[in-house]
Amino acid sequence: MRIVNSTAALRALTLGALVVAGVLLAASRAEADAVADFYTGKTINILVGSDAGGGYDAQARFMAQHLGEFIPGNPSLIVQNVPGAGGILAANRIYNVAAQDGTYMAFIQRGILTSQLTQQPGVHYEVAKFHWIGNFASETAVVVAWSTAPFKTAQDLFDKELIVAGTGVTGDNESTARLFNALIGTKFKIVAGYRGTNEAILALERGEVQGLADWAWSNVKTRKGDYLRDHKITILMQSALEKEPDLPDVPLASQFVKNDVDRRAMELYFAQKTIARPSMMGPGVPEDRIAAVRKAFMDMAHNPKFKEDAVKAKLEVEPTSYETVDRLVQLISTTPPEVAKRLSDAMAPK
């Protein structure tokens, strides 16, 4: 019988493990160095799929102030507004036109996540092929009417026509209005052509429209708190899976759904609001740069200075990792055909 020296064997195994660990560490450092070498002196362009001055724009600019500090090489970041078609134009540009080297990313409307499923016009990308970086915030939206409009309760939305501003076929103001008309029987009339929420709000003030079918509650509170204080708007309905604690008496839209397929279609639509501010890079960006930017995004999210500055800027941010976006994309891709068709039909521009 051969007797093995256990101490020698243990030393050999330990040495082997150390060698492997050393090789992996060296490879990791080399990869990080390569990313740092690439990004040193570079600028990352953030394409925002909405106009300047709105909620998406404000959060994208806030991210641009902080993210570069956590990316190897510390690139600068600048924001470019690409409004139109509810973010489809920005998504098309990232997928088909922008350099696939990590110097372009997009901060887009969540409607992009279901834009293929619902067969929106003008889509020239595959949602599953984007490299998702993370999600900046979740959101509850509200239906609002201007104070001079004859709408005081949710029931009024079923009894008479509310004229609302539209900001693109995948933009929430249009998508939600069409969805509610189809699934619960509201009577929204969409006036299309506004470039973003900022223009829609101005139209509301000027009396061109009577309300908005989908406005982020966090933005109402932080950016238009005077509307609430001075009773310039009436909150009629909530668009979310759960009620906001500070809106206990405002009904959820789902309370008015009549059947299971419609309920599942609406819940899928509202699931997007848990991924309210997704960001991504194009399908051809190298994996090491994607990994570095994803890590930087979460390092930023956990940074005390970032959180402190968000409070000072009156921005409600709850960053989550790219995995949360990937899970929703996977959920959307496995939607039962009858639910997908119902959602698609409900959201199709008439």
Side-chain angles (χ1 to χ4, degrees):
M1 175 183 294
R2 183 184 176 192
I3 299 176
V4 178
N5 186 321
S6 59
T7 301
L10 181 59
R11 286 175 179 169
L13 287 172
T14 302
L15 180 60
L18 289 173
V19 170
V20 171
V23 170
L24 292 175
L25 181 60
S28 176
R29 286 176 177 168
E31 191 172 84
D33 289 345
V35 172
D37 288 345
F38 173 78
Y39 277 121
T40 298
K42 294 284 200 315
T43 296
I44 296 178
N45 301 273
I46 305 177
L47 306 187
V48 181
S50 61
D51 59 347
Y56 281 94
D57 178 69
Q59 290 185 331
R61 292 181 187 278
F62 184 71
M63 184 174 76
Q65 294 170 16
H66 292 82
L67 185 59
E69 175 186 347
F70 303 94
I71 298 174
N74 305 125
S76 58
L77 289 90
I78 62 171
V79 169
Q80 297 179 25
N81 294 93
V82 187
I88 288 178
L89 297 184
N92 281 339
R93 186 176 297 184
I94 282 289
Y95 195 89
N96 299 295
V97 179
Q100 300 290 307
D101 60 358
T103 58
Y104 281 83
M105 63 188 299
F107 196 94
I108 55 156
Q109 284 93 324
R110 56 191 162 272
I112 296 302
L113 296 168
T114 55
S115 56
Q116 268 189 289
L117 178 73
T118 55
Q119 301 176 25
Q120 298 300 320
V123 169
H124 301 295
Y125 51 78
E126 293 185 43
V127 173
K129 290 186 178 180
F130 284 122
H131 289 299
W132 300 100
I133 300 304
N135 171 53
F136 212 62
S138 59
E139 183 179 287
T140 291
V142 290
V143 178
V144 307
W146 196 248
S147 57
T148 56
F151 293 81
K152 304 305 175 186
T153 69
Q155 186 56 48
D156 292 330
L157 297 170
F158 301 92
D159 297 335
K160 46 199 168 191
E161 193 176 72
L162 179 65
I163 302 171
V164 296
T167 56
V169 289
T170 64
D172 291 336
N173 282 300
E174 291 192 26
S175 297
T176 300
R178 292 195 302 270
L179 186 82
F180 287 179
N181 285 351
L183 299 188
I184 61 177
T186 52
K187 297 182 178 180
F188 292 108
K189 179 179 179 180
I190 300 169
V191 177
Y194 296 100
R195 288 167 59 85
T197 302
N198 237 32
E199 282 194 9
I201 294 169
L202 290 174
L204 188 61
E205 292 179 344
R206 291 193 296 259
E208 295 173 14
V209 296
Q210 297 173 306
L212 298 177
D214 192 301
W215 192 0
W217 178 233
S218 61
N219 285 341
V220 176
K221 292 188 295 181
T222 59
R223 303 176 70 79
K224 290 295 181 180
D226 59 310
Y227 282 11
L228 298 171
R229 182 195 66 218
D230 300 336
H231 306 289
K232 291 183 178 180
I233 56 174
T234 303
I235 312 299
L236 301 171
M237 192 179 287
Q238 298 186 57
S239 302
L241 296 173
E242 297 179 355
K243 280 188 176 184
E244 283 290 298
D246 51 354
L247 293 174
D249 300 323
V250 178
L252 291 167
S254 57
Q255 294 175 217
F256 302 96
V257 176
K258 300 292 195 298
N259 62 70
D260 186 58
V261 170
D262 285 359
R263 184 177 304 281
R264 293 177 70 184
M266 185 173 284
E267 287 175 350
L268 179 61
Y269 180 76
F270 287 161
Q272 291 179 123
K273 293 186 179 296
T274 64
I275 309 295
R277 300 288 194 265
S279 58
M280 84 291 212
M281 286 183 164
V285 177
E287 289 290 343
D288 59 340
R289 295 171 198 169
I290 293 294
V293 177
R294 284 172 170 169
K295 181 179 183 302
F297 183 86
M298 293 312 298
D299 288 345
M300 174 190 71
H302 296 135
N303 181 262
K305 180 69 163 54
F306 169 80
K307 295 177 182 179
E308 180 183 326
D309 288 350
V311 173
K312 290 178 181 177
K314 297 183 178 180
L315 291 175
E316 293 190 11
V317 298
E318 318 169 56
T320 55
S321 72
Y322 74 94
E323 288 101 338
T324 62
V325 190
D326 280 344
R327 283 195 291 270
L328 180 57
V329 171
Q330 178 63 23
L331 173 66
I332 291 168
S333 69
T334 57
T335 299
E338 67 275 14
V339 176
K341 185 176 189 307
R342 182 57 173 144
L343 183 62
S344 179
D345 290 347
M347 291 176 61
K350 305 297 189 293

